[in-house]
Amino acid sequence: MTQASAPPPSSRRRHDREIIALAVPAFGALVAEPLFVMVDSAIVGHLGTPQLAGLGVAAALLMTAVSVFVFLAYATTAAVARRVGAGDLPSAIRQGMDGIWLALLLGAVVVALALPSAPWLVEVFGASDTAAPYATTYLRISSLGIPAMLVVLAATGVLRGLQDTRTPLYVAIGGFAANGALNAALVYGAGLGIAGSAWGTVIAQVGMAIAYLIVVVRGARRHGASLRPDAAGIRASAQAGVPLLVRTLSLRAVLMIATAVAARLGDTDIAAHQIILSLWSLTAFALDAIAIAGQAIIGRYLGANDAKGAREACRRMVEWGIGCGVMLGVLIILARPLFVPLFTSDPSVKDTLLPALLVVAISQPIAGVVFVLDGVLMGAGDGRYLAWAMLITLAVFAPVALLVPTLGGGLTALWWAMTLMMAVRLVTLWLRTRSGRWIVTGATR
């Protein structure tokens, strides 16, 4: 963040209201997303262990595929928010439609690749002979819902850019409820087994996409924005998304390396690692909600040519990130006796888990600032820098993490390496925000 005097209390209160109004519904929508898989698992789990194992493999493949395209939400949020700030709502919605058309195109390509390659993908992921048929069935059917899932990402970005995070929350809640009801009806009522679970999820996802499209189309008609695909606009959306795609893939590589290293440490360590990773992901939802608010708010200020407002908002969100990080760290430490028994009763896993959890707790304030600054730079459309910064982070983290087993380190050492990764991200992002080079005002970057 560039040097600036602290904003007056009235300005801080205004920023607080904006952050809360956007972040709280965003958090609810983020938490609702993984509940889809949890419901599927709970229902399919009663069919048998092979079915549940097959679902686990297929769900991991689907979530990986969809997470790669999360840039559809991030890039669209920033682009739409800038035009909102510039007071050009027709252009903002037109920009959003370009992102939605790009999502449909990418979804069609993924489906075309996933359908014939499903058995091979399941085999590569190491599914057993008994689980593989169920995984293939679930993957093939569920892949038909990928275009809808990508449309949901892009349309969510549109609404966030329009400073609306409530509608995504309502759609997520509706989709979660529909998914549960459809799964129960098709798996048990219609007797379709794991195929019924897949179809229930696809129908719920398509319903969510339709709900989003209704909202966006109504907005387009209200403001006279064209709904037709525009080749130049779609190409621009794709170009804006490429750096964020690189960033996302680099981050996924970090998580995959960490899991691979934990697996080499032994069964006890990988079991404890998975528990910590689940908790880490949950805390990430809370911090990511602030980052989402940052994307929308910063984009709007820059689009309105208000560099001072952008700086003040950035400063206040950093304070929020630190505060939330400290709170989450303390909560992890205090709640350890309560939540650890929910995951495991194995004394060796508990002994391995507890010291690593302390490292995670200590790192939460760092994570809070990292998530916020990540959101600020995304909102500014500074994707190219984010890509390079994450590649540098990966280059530092990978050798350190891979040395953990060689040097005789355990899971706690691995999570110190993860903390190093977050610290490198903090340094790269902090240097960028202090330089002020991210502050590019106007309707487009």
Side-chain angles (χ1 to χ4, degrees):
M1 206 168 24
T2 53
Q3 296 289 348
S5 59
S10 59
S11 177
R12 294 174 63 187
R13 286 193 294 270
R14 185 181 75 251
H15 291 311
D16 287 345
R17 286 194 297 269
E18 288 184 328
I19 293 168
I20 292 170
L22 291 170
V24 172
F27 174 70
L30 289 169
V31 170
E33 292 172 8
L35 293 179
F36 271 70
V37 177
M38 290 180 63
V39 168
D40 288 4
S41 299
I43 292 175
V44 171
H46 292 286
L47 296 175
T49 300
Q51 288 91 334
L52 183 58
L55 170 66
V57 172
L61 283 163
L62 286 165
M63 290 302 100
T64 299
V66 173
S67 67
V68 165
F69 297 108
V70 73
F71 69 84
L72 289 166
Y74 294 158
T76 304
T77 297
V80 171
R82 274 185 176 270
R83 286 162 175 79
V84 169
D88 189 355
L89 284 177
S91 178
I93 296 173
R94 173 66 260 177
Q95 180 73 35
M97 285 304 306
D98 291 335
I100 290 173
W101 281 112
L102 176 62
L104 285 170
L105 291 173
L106 291 173
V109 171
V110 174
V111 171
L113 294 174
L115 288 176
S117 62
W120 175 79
L121 290 170
V122 167
E123 182 180 353
V124 168
F125 260 61
S128 66
D129 291 340
T130 53
Y134 298 110
T136 301
T137 296
Y138 191 93
L139 181 58
R140 277 183 166 157
I141 296 172
S142 292
S143 65
L144 298 175
I146 287 178
M149 295 171 74
L150 299 190
V151 166
V152 166
L153 283 176
T156 299
V158 176
L159 295 181
R160 289 173 181 170
L162 293 170
Q163 317 296 296
D164 176 9
T165 56
R166 289 182 178 273
T167 299
L169 172 61
Y170 299 148
V171 174
I173 293 173
F176 170 69
N179 180 61
L182 287 165
N183 267 260
L186 295 175
V187 171
Y188 298 119
L192 296 179
I194 195 169
S197 176
W199 280 117
T201 302
V202 169
I203 294 169
Q205 290 162 348
V206 171
M208 291 172 67
I210 291 173
Y212 273 117
L213 289 174
I214 289 173
V215 174
V216 175
V217 168
R218 282 178 177 172
R221 289 177 174 170
R222 188 181 310 120
H223 297 286
S226 173
L227 297 173
R228 293 182 179 180
D230 176 68
I234 294 172
R235 186 164 54 250
S237 294
Q239 290 171 346
V242 168
L244 295 180
L245 174 61
V246 173
R247 168 204 167 274
T248 300
L249 290 174
S250 300
L251 183 56
R252 296 291 301 183
V254 165
L255 298 177
M256 289 175 66
I257 290 170
T259 300
V261 169
R264 289 177 60 189
L265 295 174
D267 290 348
T268 299
D269 290 85
I270 186 62
H273 176 73
Q274 287 305 113
I275 295 171
I276 294 175
L277 203 57
S278 299
L279 177 65
W280 195 67
S281 299
L282 182 61
T283 61
F285 285 137
L287 299 175
D288 203 26
I290 305 173
I292 288 169
Q295 293 171 31
I297 293 169
I298 294 297
R300 192 189 75 235
Y301 274 118
L302 294 178
N305 294 308
D306 188 354
K308 180 182 177 183
R311 289 191 187 95
E312 289 181 355
C314 177
R315 176 190 292 274
R316 190 57 180 156
M317 280 183 281
V318 167
E319 293 171 353
W320 269 77
I322 294 171
C324 289
V326 170
M327 182 183 66
L328 288 171
V330 172
L331 190 61
I332 289 171
I333 293 173
L334 295 179
R336 280 185 308 160
L338 298 177
F339 67 76
V340 170
L342 297 176
F343 289 96
T344 182
S345 58
D346 187 330
S348 61
V349 174
K350 288 182 179 180
D351 290 342
T352 303
L353 180 69
L354 293 177
L357 269 178
L358 287 175
V359 177
V360 174
I362 292 169
S363 69
Q364 286 305 298
I366 298 174
V369 179
V370 167
F371 274 78
V372 166
L373 295 183
D374 208 38
V376 166
L377 296 184
M378 282 185 190
D382 204 6
R384 184 172 296 181
Y385 182 85
L386 288 172
W388 281 111
M390 199 62 225
L391 286 171
I392 292 170
T393 302
L394 175 60
V396 173
F397 169 78
V400 174
L402 293 173
L403 278 173
V404 168
T406 304
L407 298 178
L411 187 66
T412 301
L414 175 60
W415 275 93
W416 276 119
M418 289 288 284
T419 302
L420 171 65
M421 178 271 294
M422 295 301 289
V424 173
R425 291 187 70 191
L426 174 62
V427 171
T428 57
L429 297 175
W430 185 259
L431 288 174
R432 184 63 168 183
T433 49
R434 281 187 65 86
S435 73
R437 294 176 184 174
W438 58 281
I439 300 177
V440 180
T441 59
T444 59
R445 182 175 173 85

